[in-house]
Amino acid sequence: MSKVYYKTEEQIEQIRESANVLSSLLAEIAKVIKPGITTLSLDKLAFDYIQDHGGTPAFLNYHGFPFSLCISVNDQIVHGFPSDYIIQDGDLVSVDGGVNLRGFISDSAYTFGVGEISAEAQQLLDVTKGSLLKGVEQAVAGKRVGDISSAVQEHVAPYNYGIVRELVGHGVGLHLHEKPEVPNYGKRGSGPKLEEGLVICIEPMINAGKAGVKFWDDGWTVSTIDGKLSAHFEQMVAIRKGTPDVLLTFDEVEKVLSKK
């Protein structure tokens, strides 16, 4: 992870343009994701879509990662490889992607419930996304990273879910991973101060069971230690005074999903 980069207003607007491409890509994925298609077909869609919109996939070849998307299914938490796996009714499919548009980087993730999912799975999705929104509320100038972390943790705590600790949010914009790290657990008033010009990714990774993780031999995929479901949602926020500036919302995705 590189150093802290404070962005100018012009740079933030360039990052927002990159985020707009990524937001639209997630909406395109929302249109086509269903039982019977492979996760590799979603990766191809992403590669083509990003290139058609003037960008390059920020994940592709990043430290050797061989795909445009991380696609993690059910007990996979993050960094799953797209493959010939055929998506099944009831699956949770986390799609994590990034766009490099003229040197400005966006990064976001959304976990889709495919077909008819269980009540347990739906609650996990709702709580994880809700914890993200609670964290975003704290992403304003004058607060600290720990205020975000604590807000996520406090929202999740009543459900006895496992909060992943080995993987965290981060700064973003000029590089895919910048400082500061943004954990999904912590103490209010702790950590680096949030200042204008920061752009960060807040990304709760929440397990239905234990918090522990298992790292796969492929060097990338991370799954739950007990085989239970996991969910992952990620948004980008530019730090402002008074109110968060969410550079990438889920509005387009959820508009599509509401019609399915």
Side-chain angles (χ1 to χ4, degrees):
M1 192 170 291
S2 60
K3 65 181 183 179
V4 175
Y5 292 89
Y6 294 96
K7 284 79 175 178
T8 65
E9 283 298 319
E10 181 178 355
Q11 288 174 326
I12 289 173
E13 291 311 308
Q14 295 278 356
I15 296 166
R16 194 190 308 274
E17 289 185 27
S18 177
N20 288 341
V21 174
L22 183 52
S23 177
S24 296
L25 168 61
L26 290 173
E28 290 300 310
I29 290 171
K31 291 176 184 177
V32 302
I33 194 167
K34 63 181 180 180
I37 68 169
T38 66
T39 56
L40 194 59
S41 70
L42 298 179
D43 189 72
K44 184 179 186 307
L45 182 159
F47 179 83
D48 292 342
Y49 189 91
I50 293 169
Q51 289 215 319
D52 289 347
H53 287 77
T56 57
F59 289 10
L60 184 60
N61 298 321
Y62 179 75
H63 294 305
F65 187 77
F67 299 98
S68 299
L69 297 175
C70 299
I71 302 182
S72 308
V73 181
N74 293 330
D75 66 321
Q76 296 173 358
I77 302 167
V78 288
H79 304 161
F81 282 11
S83 69
D84 291 330
Y85 174 78
I86 298 172
I87 295 172
Q88 306 294 311
D89 186 65
D91 279 348
L92 295 190
V93 181
S94 172
V95 177
D96 188 358
V99 171
N100 183 332
L101 186 68
R102 301 186 298 274
F104 295 93
I105 311 296
S106 55
D107 182 11
S108 183
Y110 194 95
T111 302
F112 296 90
V114 180
E116 295 294 326
I117 65 172
S118 68
E120 173 194 17
Q122 187 63 59
Q123 178 176 275
L124 178 64
L125 293 181
D126 292 343
V127 171
T128 305
K129 185 162 55 174
S131 72
L132 167 62
L133 300 179
K134 289 295 184 181
V136 167
E137 288 176 0
Q138 300 298 314
V140 294
K143 296 275 192 176
R144 292 187 176 272
V145 167
D147 296 314
I148 297 172
S149 305
S150 178
V152 172
Q153 184 176 20
E154 290 172 5
H155 185 78
V156 172
Y159 300 90
N160 294 316
Y161 291 152
I163 299 174
V164 173
R165 291 177 173 251
E166 290 85 350
L167 303 147
V168 297
H170 51 90
V172 71
L174 305 183
H175 303 268
L176 184 56
H177 291 106
E178 303 170 1
K179 292 183 178 178
E181 294 188 346
V182 185
N184 296 304
Y185 59 93
K187 183 179 178 181
R188 289 188 182 272
S190 67
K193 191 173 182 179
L194 300 174
E195 300 181 27
E196 289 189 280
L198 275 178
V199 177
I200 60 174
C201 287
I202 303 171
E203 49 176 319
M205 290 155 273
I206 309 299
N207 300 340
K210 296 178 180 179
V213 306
K214 178 170 62 176
F215 293 91
W216 287 27
D217 291 340
D218 62 19
W220 287 97
T221 307
V222 184
S223 62
T224 61
I225 199 167
D226 55 11
K228 293 192 176 181
L229 296 173
S230 187
H232 176 210
F233 290 90
E234 177 180 12
Q235 288 185 332
M236 300 170 59
V237 186
I239 302 301
R240 308 279 191 184
K241 291 180 180 178
T243 187
D245 183 2
V246 181
L247 302 182
L248 194 155
T249 74
F250 297 143
D251 292 349
E252 286 190 71
V253 173
E254 292 181 347
K255 184 177 181 181
V256 171
L257 294 177
S258 70
K259 296 177 180 179
K260 292 183 79 171

